[in-house]
Amino acid sequence: MYHQPVLKNRRTLLERAEKFISEIYFTDCNLRGRLYGDTCPLESISSSLSQQRIPFLEAVKQNFEPYQVGDTFGPTWWTCWFKVSLRIPDSWRGKQVHLRWESDGEAMVWRDEQPVQGLTKEGEKTSYVLTECLEDEEPHSISLYVELACNGLFGAGQGSMIATPDPDRKYSVQKAELVVFKQEVRELLTDLEMLVDVVKLLGEGEQRGYQALFTANEMVNLCEPTNPSSFPAARSLAQKFFSQRNGESQHTVHAMGHCHIDSAWLWPYEETIRKCARSWVTVIRLMEKNPHMVFTCSQAQQFEWVKSWYPGLFSQIQHFVEKGQFIPVGGTWVEMDGNLPSGESMVRQFLEGQRFFKQEFGNYCKEFWLPDTFGYSAQLPQLMQCSGITRFLTQKLSWNLVNTFPHNTFFWEGLDGSQVLTHFPPGNSYEMKGKVEDLVNTVKNNKDKGRANHSAALFGFGDGGGGPTQLMLDRLDRVQDTDGLPRVQMSSPDRLFSELEADSSLLCTWTGELFLELHNGTYTTQAQIKLGNRQCETLLHDVEVASSLALCLDKTFQYPSQQLQILWRQLLLNQFHDVIPGTCIEMVVEDALRYYQGNTDSTDTSVAVLNTLPWERTEVLPLAGAHGQFSLRLRTIQGEKIKKVPAHTHTHTHTARMKPFSLLCVCSREAISHGCSGNQFVVFDDVPLYWDAWDVMDYHLQTRKPVVEVVRPVQVSSPGGLRGSVTFTLRISDKSTITQEIILDAMCPYVRFNTQVEWLESHKFLKVEFPVRVRSPNATYEIQFGHLQRPTHRNTSWDWARFEVWGHKWADLSEHGFGVSLLNDSKYGYSGADRFDLSVTGTFQEASVIQWAYNLNNPLRLIDHAPGFHTASRSAFSVSAAAVILETIKQVAKSLQPAVVFNHSNPHLLIRPLLSCDLLERVDPSRPAPITASGISISFNPFQIVSLLLYLK
């Protein structure tokens, strides 16, 4: 009796299976070549080109001209609308019929005036399903519109993804036809693909890998591509393999659909609106077909865009949110940068985001979701906790260039001791494809084996949108419980974190910031964006304070709630993690600067408000507020001025950190190191390994070149008295100069450096050095609502990886009884601890550095109508402890019944105690704020943020 030979050559069997499903080799006779059946041309296709992104109802009124497949259109950022007429042949009855559309750019299919499907080759979506099984009663003649954006998922970079966009690129449609799609072929292809990947990933030493190899080989033996009747026998072999189950202890992967969409990056804000619609409408189609599918989605701003521009789609999203399939996450307005926004800006990210999610979907988010930002402030755990969030998911620290972060699941402890359960998906990605490789890496990379037996796997095309595909879902469905692989279940963030919380006793704790050892250039790139952010944060603060006082003094005053919300939301949008860092294309920079200018113009009303207040009636209020319900935010505490001219410069331009001052301090101690010069400008080469606008590498420190050429020598600009100052100009190159004014003001404890840099350099980095005679192993940097220390030495790799760090309004290097501090009004980047702008004697606490930094960033405003102020000192609020900062005074979004009566003749608060609240302005009865004869008595823990609700008539 004849027996087939048993082949054991791993390589030949593996390659045989690969070629059988290849898109390149032997498609005339392999299985892949049978995926599509008969084709039929479209009845007609015509096009209309628009320079603007116009809505559907306007687009269909345009003039459409006949279009031939292959014709080009464009340029970049334009939109081409196509009108498509088709008729499905009657002979295709019982078949699955697709519109097959392959083109450059990103497309949206419109049907019956509604968006129905996103299409893009980069996102592996090149067909729109017209019918799953053609029936006689279905319409055979159909009219569609296709909106095609002249840009790809990742913009239109010249030569590389992150290069400057090519403004003249042309686009085309390569395929536009009707086609019969063979679902049975797709199923068999998916079986074989997964088996081949098991063979590759489990390797030669695993028995399970060989079982997958021989299963795949037998399937190829049984399968005749031209004979569908041979498919069931082949598929049964695959099903037998996939149904062989794991043991009870196997790791569980919680699969969640995801589509990370940068609110702006290599494309402008306006294009992001369409990216959201294309991606999310595709998700809706998948949910209709796959009721078990779960999709997570962050960023309230993007939901708000879709609500405004695509109300029908937004209603569908609300429906699937209610069903528990479409899950809003994150709780913030955008996925903001984790380092640069101020403390109050981060509060507003949560406040605006959580309120939107509650209003539109009925629930607050339980998880903070920030997978792609460039580091995470040590104050974030407290901000999360005070915003109703106890869980955090990210993965960006897997990008560390030097040290491997030691955990995937752990408790993160913030500056004040607040803790949140944190999870880094071990697959080190937020855009997996549901492949065997993703599952194997999730188990292999898990750094908490034995402590955590559950992990997330986020699948779907991301960054530029796209999201999950049916193929990804099919892959995951096959291996829900397959021996040799982790268990896979379609899950939600709540289910994942609930499992982790239930078995968290062995988890480790990480204390302090989560510092990303990469992308250090984001602290300084695009200086005008950083300046605009700081200025607008200050302006909005002042408007809210002024408006609160105005309402206190004049009950007819209309608090500008709606306008302030619009301005705050614009500022929060610009704090997205590719905008405020400057890691975006020039078009986005221009949009951001335009938003800042509009914000500034609108908030100029703050001065007008201040000038109209009846200041002669103002009393000193011990932490008091105004008419209606107000929120006061307090926190405990344990400037160079530079303007960069970015026109015609490379995106990655850094600006100086100004350092004086030989400098002899009041204590008669020399501050400059022996043999060194202070206020020494230096230029470094700035050529990173790849991420040009993101990175400054450690080796740039070896390219130091002092700036020594004098264009204009030192001149006395103010001779003395109340102010003494000198100015000078240096030449950086034949294109760039530095003009600096050094100022000494009477009764001011610091030296001010006003520095104008005309910067037209590319791939250069300007700094100013100030080597100081201070000996300390750590420097102190302000962060949101607090400060922390970082090492000044390079003992370990964790130390020297922080050769460039971030901070806010001040930084300090102090030893006992002596120190030097920097104050700034627009900078965020610091290098080590030896470069500073402004000198203050004593430690930063003794020298009131924190208060002086606030004064620098919140200058006094001139009030024209303030009778009596020349004879008396008055304040609307007072705080008795120097260690407490009153950060914010604002009206709450929804006024409640007044609970406290204010009498202008008596500054004390009456009736009943003040109420504490969280950052969402929800009353917290567990934290009373009793009123005493001298004011409000509050207890603080170190670095604690306290919010109070104040009710006044």
Side-chain angles (χ1 to χ4, degrees):
M1 187 180 209
Y2 175 75
H3 294 280
Q4 289 186 347
V6 178
L7 302 179
K8 297 179 66 174
N9 187 312
R10 183 177 184 274
R11 176 180 172 182
T12 59
L13 298 189
L14 176 57
E15 290 195 19
R16 180 196 188 197
E18 288 180 313
K19 296 299 190 295
F20 192 66
I21 60 175
S22 172
E23 294 180 345
I24 301 173
Y25 300 102
F26 309 116
T27 55
D28 61 324
C29 60
N30 73 1
L31 186 63
R32 179 75 62 177
R34 300 297 185 271
L35 183 59
Y36 294 101
D38 295 338
T39 63
C40 176
L42 304 179
E43 284 193 331
S44 67
I45 179 170
S46 54
S47 67
S48 176
L49 194 62
S50 171
Q51 186 174 1
Q52 306 299 323
R53 299 174 180 89
I54 57 178
F56 174 82
L57 293 179
E58 183 179 343
V60 297
K61 297 175 183 177
Q62 306 304 305
N63 293 324
F64 284 77
E65 301 291 337
Y67 176 81
Q68 292 293 323
V69 170
D71 289 351
T72 60
F73 49 88
T76 300
W77 307 128
W78 287 42
T79 301
C80 194
W81 284 84
F82 294 90
K83 185 176 182 180
V84 174
S85 296
L86 58 89
R87 176 169 179 79
I88 304 173
D90 294 338
S91 60
W92 289 4
R93 185 183 301 109
K95 306 287 187 181
Q96 184 174 148
V97 182
H98 292 193
L99 167 64
R100 191 178 186 185
W101 183 279
E102 294 184 9
S103 67
D104 306 318
E106 295 185 83
M108 171 77 92
V109 180
W110 291 78
R111 185 172 183 176
D112 300 328
E113 301 186 358
Q114 293 296 320
V116 292
Q117 176 70 54
L119 298 174
T120 169
K121 286 193 296 186
E122 297 163 290
E124 297 181 1
K125 300 178 183 70
T126 57
S127 65
Y128 167 56
V129 180
L130 295 167
T131 175
E132 296 280 355
C133 181
L134 183 65
E135 298 180 0
D136 291 339
E137 59 269 22
E138 287 187 89
H140 286 43
S141 294
I142 302 172
S143 293
L144 303 171
Y145 286 89
V146 178
E147 175 190 15
L148 200 153
C150 294
N151 54 264
L153 275 182
F154 293 92
Q158 300 185 71
S160 76
M161 179 182 71
I162 60 172
T164 302
D166 180 358
D168 302 317
R169 179 179 296 181
K170 295 295 184 180
Y171 298 77
S172 69
V173 178
Q174 296 89 44
K175 263 182 194 173
E177 61 186 6
L178 297 182
V179 63
V180 172
F181 182 80
K182 297 182 178 180
Q183 185 65 37
E184 67 277 13
V185 174
R186 164 58 72 197
E187 299 291 349
L188 194 52
L189 285 169
T190 304
D191 289 340
L192 284 164
E193 174 203 287
M194 295 296 282
L195 287 166
V196 166
D197 283 351
V198 169
V199 177
K200 292 179 178 178
L201 270 298
L202 295 190
E204 297 188 41
E206 293 286 337
Q207 173 177 305
R208 192 64 171 149
Y210 276 99
Q211 291 174 348
L213 176 66
F214 291 121
T215 299
N217 187 63
E218 285 302 302
M219 290 174 66
V220 176
N221 287 336
L222 289 174
C223 179
E224 298 180 24
T226 59
N227 181 11
S229 66
S230 68
F231 295 175
R235 286 217 66 202
S236 67
L237 291 177
Q239 290 164 359
K240 179 181 179 182
F241 177 89
F242 293 132
S243 63
Q244 292 172 332
R245 303 197 169 191
N246 274 299
E248 289 297 317
S249 65
Q250 184 58 275
H251 192 88
T252 299
V253 173
H254 294 250
M256 308 172 205
H258 190 53
C259 180
H260 180 68
I261 302 178
D262 289 320
S263 291
W265 180 29
L266 304 175
W267 53 86
Y269 286 128
E270 281 192 1
E271 192 55 43
T272 306
I273 300 173
R274 301 199 295 188
K275 283 177 175 288
C276 293
R278 288 188 290 260
S279 302
W280 296 354
V281 76
T282 303
V283 168
I284 296 298
R285 298 288 85 80
L286 290 173
M287 288 181 172
E288 291 171 341
K289 187 177 179 180
N290 304 270
H292 67 296
M293 179 187 177
V294 172
F295 178 76
T296 57
C297 191
S298 65
Q299 306 196 71
Q301 171 69 86
Q302 295 183 3
F303 283 97
E304 198 274 336
W305 279 333
V306 170
K307 180 184 178 182
S308 299
W309 287 82
Y310 303 89
L313 172 58
F314 189 75
S315 295
Q316 295 177 63
I317 291 171
Q318 287 179 309
H319 170 71
F320 282 98
V321 169
E322 189 174 349
K323 291 184 67 175
Q325 290 183 255
F326 201 114
I327 302 179
V329 294
T332 51
W333 189 246
V334 297
E335 288 188 9
M336 71 283 197
D337 181 86
N339 300 324
L340 306 183
S342 70
E344 189 60 31
S345 287
M346 284 192 169
V347 169
R348 302 307 174 92
Q349 288 284 356
F350 286 104
L351 180 63
E352 291 296 329
Q354 287 284 56
R355 280 184 172 164
F356 181 91
F357 291 127
K358 178 67 172 178
Q359 177 179 334
E360 299 297 337
F361 305 119
N363 293 297
Y364 293 115
C365 296
K366 299 178 181 178
E367 307 85 14
F368 183 37
W369 198 272
L370 199 59
D372 192 35
T373 198
F374 314 136
Y376 304 88
S377 166
Q379 269 293 19
L380 278 169
Q382 182 177 192
L383 295 173
M384 286 183 244
Q385 287 273 10
C386 294
S387 301
I389 291 173
T390 58
R391 303 152 163 183
F392 175 43
L393 184 144
T394 186
Q395 62 83 47
K396 198 64 176 185
L397 262 65
S398 66
W399 285 46
N400 271 6
L401 191 64
V402 181
N403 299 286
T404 300
F405 192 78
H407 309 299
N408 284 102
T409 304
F410 59 100
F411 287 104
W412 180 22
E413 183 175 273
L415 199 62
D416 73 317
S418 296
Q419 290 190 350
V420 291
L421 179 58
T422 300
H423 181 66
F424 295 176
N428 297 337
S429 174
Y430 49 75
E431 50 174 335
M432 295 178 175
K433 305 302 184 289
K435 292 190 172 184
V436 173
E437 178 182 14
D438 299 327
L439 305 178
V440 171
N441 285 341
T442 295
V443 176
K444 182 177 68 175
N445 297 342
N446 180 21
K447 302 181 187 70
D448 296 284
K449 296 180 178 75
R451 290 191 292 264
N453 208 29
H454 295 261
S455 298
L458 311 181
F459 65 94
F461 288 95
D463 289 332
T469 66
Q470 184 62 52
L471 177 57
M472 297 177 193
L473 289 166
D474 292 343
R475 289 167 179 159
L476 293 169
D477 285 344
R478 277 161 172 74
V479 291
Q480 294 179 54
D481 193 359
T482 297
D483 184 25
L485 298 176
R487 282 197 181 87
V488 179
Q489 61 184 33
M490 196 63 60
S491 188
S492 66
D494 184 59
R495 185 173 180 182
L496 165 69
F497 279 103
S498 294
E499 293 282 5
L500 294 174
E501 288 166 348
D503 189 20
S504 61
S505 61
L506 296 179
L507 295 181
C508 299
T509 298
W510 179 273
T511 301
E513 66 181 330
L514 296 173
F515 186 87
L516 178 64
E517 296 173 357
L518 194 70
H519 296 351
N520 313 67
T522 59
Y523 318 144
T524 46
T525 295
Q526 291 294 348
Q528 279 198 317
I529 286 182
K530 272 72 170 178
L531 174 64
N533 177 75
R534 183 77 65 82
Q535 289 180 336
C536 288
E537 287 177 334
T538 301
L539 283 169
L540 286 172
H541 167 274
D542 291 351
V543 171
E544 288 181 332
V545 172
S547 298
S548 300
L549 294 177
L551 191 55
C552 176
L553 300 173
D554 182 358
K555 295 181 181 180
T556 66
F557 176 78
Q558 295 296 312
Y559 190 93
S561 302
Q562 185 173 4
Q563 183 185 20
L564 281 169
Q565 184 182 59
I566 292 171
L567 295 176
W568 264 113
R569 286 182 171 184
Q570 286 183 346
L571 177 61
L572 300 180
L573 173 59
N574 275 354
Q575 290 172 350
F576 178 74
H577 64 253
D578 276 311
V579 179
I580 189 173
T583 54
C584 50
I585 60 174
E586 183 180 7
M587 188 180 296
V588 179
V589 174
E590 292 169 352
D591 283 346
L593 295 179
R594 187 162 52 249
Y595 283 170
Y596 289 137
Q597 186 58 52
N599 203 310
T600 301
D601 293 343
S602 297
T603 50
D604 281 343
T605 57
S606 62
V607 176
V609 170
L610 284 166
N611 286 338
T612 60
L613 296 180
W615 290 101
E616 68 278 7
R617 294 192 293 135
T618 304
E619 302 287 348
V620 178
L621 308 182
L623 296 185
H627 173 70
Q629 182 187 7
F630 285 83
S631 173
L632 285 73
R633 188 135 36 247
L634 305 97
R635 59 97 164 177
T636 49
I637 61 178
Q638 182 70 324
E640 145 226 18
K641 301 178 72 175
I642 214 171
K643 180 180 179 183
K644 181 177 81 84
V645 182
H648 310 297
T649 67
H650 188 270
T651 303
H652 189 192
T653 50
H654 300 270
T655 51
R657 269 87 69 184
M658 308 292 92
K659 316 352 162 191
F661 340 38
S662 174
L663 178 64
L664 188 66
C665 296
V666 176
C667 60
S668 299
R669 174 173 171 176
E670 175 62 60
I672 303 296
S673 296
H674 179 72
C676 298
S677 298
N679 198 30
Q680 175 66 65
F681 289 89
V682 291
V683 173
F684 299 84
D685 292 342
D686 184 20
V687 184
L689 298 176
Y690 176 71
W691 297 101
D692 204 355
W694 290 256
D695 286 347
V696 53
M697 310 308 296
D698 52 358
Y699 53 74
H700 87 278
L701 297 170
Q702 297 179 315
T703 65
R704 178 182 181 276
K705 297 180 181 64
V707 178
V708 295
E709 183 179 353
V710 177
V711 176
R712 189 176 55 139
V714 173
Q715 298 177 346
V716 175
S717 49
S718 294
L722 292 178
R723 166 169 290 186
S725 66
V726 297
T727 61
F728 61 90
T729 300
L730 302 176
R731 187 185 309 281
I732 302 170
S733 70
D734 57 354
K735 298 178 291 185
S736 304
T737 59
I738 303 165
T739 299
Q740 188 180 77
E741 180 183 23
I742 304 177
I743 301 169
L744 283 170
D745 285 333
M747 307 301 294
C748 182
Y750 57 77
V751 181
R752 173 173 288 184
F753 295 79
N754 287 339
T755 308
Q756 176 80 25
V757 180
E758 299 294 334
W759 183 258
L760 293 173
E761 303 301 307
S762 178
H763 292 111
K764 297 294 181 182
F765 195 170
L766 176 65
K767 299 184 183 183
V768 181
E769 298 177 344
F770 182 23
V772 295
R773 295 188 181 185
V774 177
R775 190 74 176 165
S776 176
N778 296 293
T780 306
Y781 302 85
E782 188 199 38
I783 65 168
Q784 298 84 358
F785 297 136
H787 53 265
L788 53 72
Q789 292 187 331
R790 299 188 182 107
T792 58
H793 54 77
R794 301 292 181 261
N795 285 353
T796 72
S797 60
W798 294 89
D799 299 328
W800 64 257
R802 301 186 183 197
F803 60 89
E804 192 87 0
V805 298
W806 65 273
H808 282 207
K809 296 187 295 292
W810 60 270
D812 174 84
L813 184 66
S814 294
E815 59 189 45
H816 180 69
F818 182 78
V820 179
S821 298
L822 172 150
L823 285 64
N824 76 83
D825 65 358
S826 62
K827 295 295 157 190
Y828 299 90
Y830 301 87
S831 183
D834 58 347
R835 302 175 178 70
F836 293 92
D837 279 337
L838 308 172
S839 175
V840 183
T841 60
T843 63
F844 73 90
Q845 294 98 332
E846 296 166 346
S848 301
V849 167
I850 297 172
Q851 287 76 12
W852 283 111
Y854 272 95
N855 292 345
L856 179 66
N857 282 268
N858 298 80
L860 292 175
R861 296 189 180 275
L862 180 65
I863 301 174
D864 296 332
H865 308 290
F869 266 74
H870 63 285
T871 59
S873 175
R874 299 170 185 259
S875 173
F877 300 89
S878 64
V879 180
S880 61
V884 176
I885 301 293
L886 177 57
E887 287 273 356
T888 302
I889 304 155
K890 65 177 289 290
Q891 189 181 51
V892 299
K894 295 181 180 179
S895 295
L896 302 176
Q897 291 298 316
V900 178
V901 176
F902 171 71
N903 186 321
H904 281 295
S905 63
N906 184 342
H908 299 309
L909 303 176
L910 306 176
I911 305 300
R912 69 183 194 212
L914 228 60
L915 297 176
S916 296
C917 64
D918 63 9
L919 296 182
L920 304 185
E921 297 174 352
R922 300 176 298 184
V923 172
D924 181 0
S926 67
R927 293 189 298 157
I931 300 173
T932 67
S934 59
I936 304 161
S937 177
I938 310 170
S939 297
F940 286 85
N941 294 321
F943 299 112
Q944 183 182 6
I945 305 165
V946 172
S947 295
L948 304 175
L949 288 179
L950 177 65
Y951 304 90
L952 294 176
K953 283 186 178 179

